[in-house]
Amino acid sequence: MTNPIISLKKVWKIYDMGDSKIYANRNISLDINKNEIVFIVGKSGSGKSTLLNMIGSLDYPSRGKIFLDGINISSLTESDLAQIRGSKIGFVFQSFNLINSMTALENVMLPMTFQEIPVEEKIKRAKKLLNKVDLNHRLNNLPTELSGGERQRVAVARSLANNPEVIIADEPTGNLDTKTGKMIMNLFNEINKEGKTIIIVTHDLDLVKRTSEHKIYKIVDGEIN
Amino acid sequence: MLREYILIALNNLKRRKLRSWLTVIGIVIGISAIVSLTLIAQGTENAVNAAFEEFGTDVILVQGGTAFGPPTPGEYGLKNRDINFFESFGETDIVIPYVYDTQEVEYKSEKKYPIVYAIDTEFWAEFLGRSNFEVERGRNFQDGETGSVIIGWKLNHDYFEKKIDLKSRIKVGGKTFKVIGIYERIGNDADDTSIAMSIDDARKIFAPANKVTGAQIIVKEGVDIEKFAEELEEDYEDYRGDKNFILSTSTAILEQINNILGIIQYVIVGIAGIALIVGAVGIANTMYMSVLERTKEIGIMKSIGATNKAIMTIFLIESAFFGVVGGIIGSIIGILMALGAKYAIEAFSPGLPFLILIDPYVVGGAILFSAIAGILSGILPARAASKLNPVDALRYE
């Protein structure tokens, strides 16, 4: 039996709105194995992003436990969580979320800064990653000078900066045209072949169909269907 | 790692150049006020100390008069026997009696009433060496000389309609005198319009034969002047039978003046400190605005591994930068302002040795103080930034 890299045990996320309570996620248990591609699909408002945030250690569950590589991340302090996030998880967002005042190269270097990696090493790695996503000619461009597809490729390069085990992508093709979206998906497939676990939240079922081997979780009203 | 955070912080400041500089200006105003006022206050203290150094620390000044204050011109509170008493008292070296009064002075039919000083010409050199006065043109009195006067700088300029010069003849109290010397400019009208003559001449015109206004008592070298003054005061009071005199040593006067200057210094620097507080509030305001504007960016940084401490550090570097840069620029401007004040004061009072020393403790202290003010005003906004929930921050538009 394979050891799961991510394991959720009876996870709930409940928002207390004063008089009423909103159950964003209910009693979710799932295992994600190393080197898998996992899709989490569902309508908007179904609770898939909330779940992704918890898997990505951006948020704590209200109840239940989440294990990342055997560590119970639901009991960690905020600082430890940040540390884990920085070293074990790479994020790719729908709206790219690059820092606009920094060049492509600096954006890719930033996660390494928070892991206290020496400057020369950072530059070397960032250049290599940008080369991997075919952006070696755009190193010193600001995000505002890049196209949507180029920005998302910078974001993918950034997610790989600290060589994390898991890449978490929240609607990574949502703001891109079909062709560019396809290119980004190919990139994820490639990364997956190199041994990374990829978790993608999407409502685009075409995206799922185009991916050969994958696991899929459908969320309806906060529960896995 | 700090170096990296500094680069990130500077990058942020560069993006908001105008606002960053406006915030720095707030600090510059406060620090330049503190630095210039402190340096000017120190300069004043130096000037006072230098003036007293010239007067000497071996001098006791005795003036006769009412018990409530120094004698007014034309008041003669010491008798000749008092002078004899001082001369024979303990470790006294010399006693220089003097008189002063306002007198009618006439030159080319124009009359004015300046102050006339008179001392024994025998002690002239001793007296002059301990005063602000210096003969710029002409010569000093010779021992026993009568019928001559030395005039203040203003009499040689515009005090009278017609300029009095060397060898001019002026009437003092109805008697004609020859001008043999002109003092250099002191910077205050009372001194620059004064006239000096021998005490023998003064006695012929206005001063009583057996009384004087006051006396400078110079003690022998190595004598503890404070102790000497105390004993003298006690014995002289017994001898005189009343307390209608003022006895002061230069060190006691200096101490008193320095105390007053110290208080003034605290007050003005305190007022300047208020300006710095306003500047610090400006920093806090800018930082809060910056946190609000960069909420999403903070979320991004947290999502890629920035700890609360890292976020806090970046924001604190930014606010410290406002303090340090404001402190450095403020200190430079403050020094320039103090030097400007020095030149202005010297232009009005050329005799005053107004010495502005660029005290590294004042400048270094101001910059340090400013940096601390910057960091302190950044603490709350930086804390607010570091405590942001990454999920909420990422959602912020």
Side-chain angles (χ1 to χ4, degrees), chain A residues 98-110:
Chain A
L98 298 174
I99 293 185
N100 284 330
S101 59
M102 293 184 177
T103 64
L105 188 70
E106 287 166 343
N107 265 291
V108 179
M109 282 162 66
L110 193 58

PDB file of all heavy atoms in Angstrom, chain A residues 98-110:
ATOM      1  N   LEU A  98       0.979  37.325  -9.244  1.00  0.00           N
ATOM      2  CA  LEU A  98       2.397  37.704  -9.229  1.00  0.00           C
ATOM      3  C   LEU A  98       2.501  39.067  -8.559  1.00  0.00           C
ATOM      4  O   LEU A  98       1.508  39.794  -8.474  1.00  0.00           O
ATOM      5  CB  LEU A  98       2.932  37.789 -10.665  1.00  0.00           C
ATOM      6  CG  LEU A  98       2.879  36.487 -11.460  1.00  0.00           C
ATOM      7  CD1 LEU A  98       3.302  36.724 -12.904  1.00  0.00           C
ATOM      8  CD2 LEU A  98       3.750  35.419 -10.823  1.00  0.00           C
ATOM      9  N   ILE A  99       3.689  39.390  -8.092  1.00  0.00           N
ATOM     10  CA  ILE A  99       3.883  40.721  -7.502  1.00  0.00           C
ATOM     11  C   ILE A  99       4.307  41.670  -8.610  1.00  0.00           C
ATOM     12  O   ILE A  99       5.340  41.491  -9.251  1.00  0.00           O
ATOM     13  CB  ILE A  99       4.879  40.655  -6.336  1.00  0.00           C
ATOM     14  CG1 ILE A  99       4.190  39.835  -5.238  1.00  0.00           C
ATOM     15  CG2 ILE A  99       5.248  42.060  -5.847  1.00  0.00           C
ATOM     16  CD1 ILE A  99       4.877  39.718  -3.953  1.00  0.00           C
ATOM     17  N   ASN A 100       3.446  42.645  -8.845  1.00  0.00           N
ATOM     18  CA  ASN A 100       3.586  43.468 -10.048  1.00  0.00           C
ATOM     19  C   ASN A 100       4.823  44.354 -10.081  1.00  0.00           C
ATOM     20  O   ASN A 100       5.255  44.771 -11.141  1.00  0.00           O
ATOM     21  CB  ASN A 100       2.340  44.341 -10.230  1.00  0.00           C
ATOM     22  CG  ASN A 100       1.182  43.522 -10.755  1.00  0.00           C
ATOM     23  OD1 ASN A 100       1.382  42.548 -11.479  1.00  0.00           O
ATOM     24  ND2 ASN A 100      -0.028  43.884 -10.358  1.00  0.00           N
ATOM     25  N   SER A 101       5.368  44.636  -8.903  1.00  0.00           N
ATOM     26  CA  SER A 101       6.544  45.509  -8.889  1.00  0.00           C
ATOM     27  C   SER A 101       7.836  44.720  -9.084  1.00  0.00           C
ATOM     28  O   SER A 101       8.909  45.292  -9.130  1.00  0.00           O
ATOM     29  CB  SER A 101       6.608  46.264  -7.572  1.00  0.00           C
ATOM     30  OG  SER A 101       6.664  45.344  -6.518  1.00  0.00           O
ATOM     31  N   MET A 102       7.704  43.410  -9.189  1.00  0.00           N
ATOM     32  CA  MET A 102       8.903  42.581  -9.342  1.00  0.00           C
ATOM     33  C   MET A 102       8.948  41.960 -10.733  1.00  0.00           C
ATOM     34  O   MET A 102       7.905  41.613 -11.293  1.00  0.00           O
ATOM     35  CB  MET A 102       8.908  41.458  -8.304  1.00  0.00           C
ATOM     36  CG  MET A 102       9.068  41.949  -6.888  1.00  0.00           C
ATOM     37  SD  MET A 102       9.169  40.554  -5.782  1.00  0.00           S
ATOM     38  CE  MET A 102       9.435  41.398  -4.242  1.00  0.00           C
ATOM     39  N   THR A 103      10.162  41.781 -11.247  1.00  0.00           N
ATOM     40  CA  THR A 103      10.315  41.156 -12.559  1.00  0.00           C
ATOM     41  C   THR A 103       9.984  39.677 -12.464  1.00  0.00           C
ATOM     42  O   THR A 103       9.830  39.136 -11.362  1.00  0.00           O
ATOM     43  CB  THR A 103      11.765  41.293 -13.044  1.00  0.00           C
ATOM     44  OG1 THR A 103      12.601  40.567 -12.145  1.00  0.00           O
ATOM     45  CG2 THR A 103      12.220  42.739 -13.108  1.00  0.00           C
ATOM     46  N   ALA A 104       9.883  39.043 -13.634  1.00  0.00           N
ATOM     47  CA  ALA A 104       9.595  37.605 -13.676  1.00  0.00           C
ATOM     48  C   ALA A 104      10.621  36.851 -12.827  1.00  0.00           C
ATOM     49  O   ALA A 104      10.272  36.005 -11.999  1.00  0.00           O
ATOM     50  CB  ALA A 104       9.630  37.119 -15.117  1.00  0.00           C
ATOM     51  N   LEU A 105      11.886  37.204 -13.015  1.00  0.00           N
ATOM     52  CA  LEU A 105      12.957  36.528 -12.282  1.00  0.00           C
ATOM     53  C   LEU A 105      12.795  36.727 -10.771  1.00  0.00           C
ATOM     54  O   LEU A 105      12.888  35.769  -9.992  1.00  0.00           O
ATOM     55  CB  LEU A 105      14.317  37.071 -12.743  1.00  0.00           C
ATOM     56  CG  LEU A 105      15.543  36.336 -12.209  1.00  0.00           C
ATOM     57  CD1 LEU A 105      15.664  34.948 -12.819  1.00  0.00           C
ATOM     58  CD2 LEU A 105      16.820  37.122 -12.505  1.00  0.00           C
ATOM     59  N   GLU A 106      12.523  37.974 -10.372  1.00  0.00           N
ATOM     60  CA  GLU A 106      12.379  38.265  -8.935  1.00  0.00           C
ATOM     61  C   GLU A 106      11.176  37.537  -8.343  1.00  0.00           C
ATOM     62  O   GLU A 106      11.211  37.081  -7.198  1.00  0.00           O
ATOM     63  CB  GLU A 106      12.236  39.775  -8.721  1.00  0.00           C
ATOM     64  CG  GLU A 106      13.541  40.533  -8.924  1.00  0.00           C
ATOM     65  CD  GLU A 106      13.367  42.029  -9.051  1.00  0.00           C
ATOM     66  OE1 GLU A 106      12.233  42.502  -9.312  1.00  0.00           O
ATOM     67  OE2 GLU A 106      14.371  42.741  -8.907  1.00  0.00           O
ATOM     68  N   ASN A 107      10.080  37.451  -9.122  1.00  0.00           N
ATOM     69  CA  ASN A 107       8.906  36.728  -8.647  1.00  0.00           C
ATOM     70  C   ASN A 107       9.239  35.265  -8.379  1.00  0.00           C
ATOM     71  O   ASN A 107       8.791  34.695  -7.387  1.00  0.00           O
ATOM     72  CB  ASN A 107       7.776  36.827  -9.671  1.00  0.00           C
ATOM     73  CG  ASN A 107       6.812  37.957  -9.350  1.00  0.00           C
ATOM     74  OD1 ASN A 107       6.074  37.889  -8.369  1.00  0.00           O
ATOM     75  ND2 ASN A 107       6.840  39.010 -10.148  1.00  0.00           N
ATOM     76  N   VAL A 108      10.025  34.671  -9.252  1.00  0.00           N
ATOM     77  CA  VAL A 108      10.371  33.254  -9.072  1.00  0.00           C
ATOM     78  C   VAL A 108      11.359  33.086  -7.914  1.00  0.00           C
ATOM     79  O   VAL A 108      11.347  32.088  -7.201  1.00  0.00           O
ATOM     80  CB  VAL A 108      10.937  32.656 -10.384  1.00  0.00           C
ATOM     81  CG1 VAL A 108      11.327  31.198 -10.197  1.00  0.00           C
ATOM     82  CG2 VAL A 108       9.906  32.782 -11.504  1.00  0.00           C
ATOM     83  N   MET A 109      12.179  34.123  -7.702  1.00  0.00           N
ATOM     84  CA  MET A 109      13.153  34.050  -6.601  1.00  0.00           C
ATOM     85  C   MET A 109      12.507  34.223  -5.217  1.00  0.00           C
ATOM     86  O   MET A 109      13.034  33.747  -4.213  1.00  0.00           O
ATOM     87  CB  MET A 109      14.225  35.133  -6.790  1.00  0.00           C
ATOM     88  CG  MET A 109      15.271  34.779  -7.835  1.00  0.00           C
ATOM     89  SD  MET A 109      16.178  36.239  -8.391  1.00  0.00           S
ATOM     90  CE  MET A 109      17.037  36.698  -6.895  1.00  0.00           C
ATOM     91  N   LEU A 110      11.379  34.932  -5.183  1.00  0.00           N
ATOM     92  CA  LEU A 110      10.785  35.320  -3.884  1.00  0.00           C
ATOM     93  C   LEU A 110      10.511  34.151  -2.915  1.00  0.00           C
ATOM     94  O   LEU A 110      10.868  34.245  -1.741  1.00  0.00           O
ATOM     95  CB  LEU A 110       9.519  36.156  -4.130  1.00  0.00           C
ATOM     96  CG  LEU A 110       8.960  36.888  -2.920  1.00  0.00           C
ATOM     97  CD1 LEU A 110       9.988  37.838  -2.305  1.00  0.00           C
ATOM     98  CD2 LEU A 110       7.695  37.668  -3.288  1.00  0.00           C
TER      99      LEU A 110
END
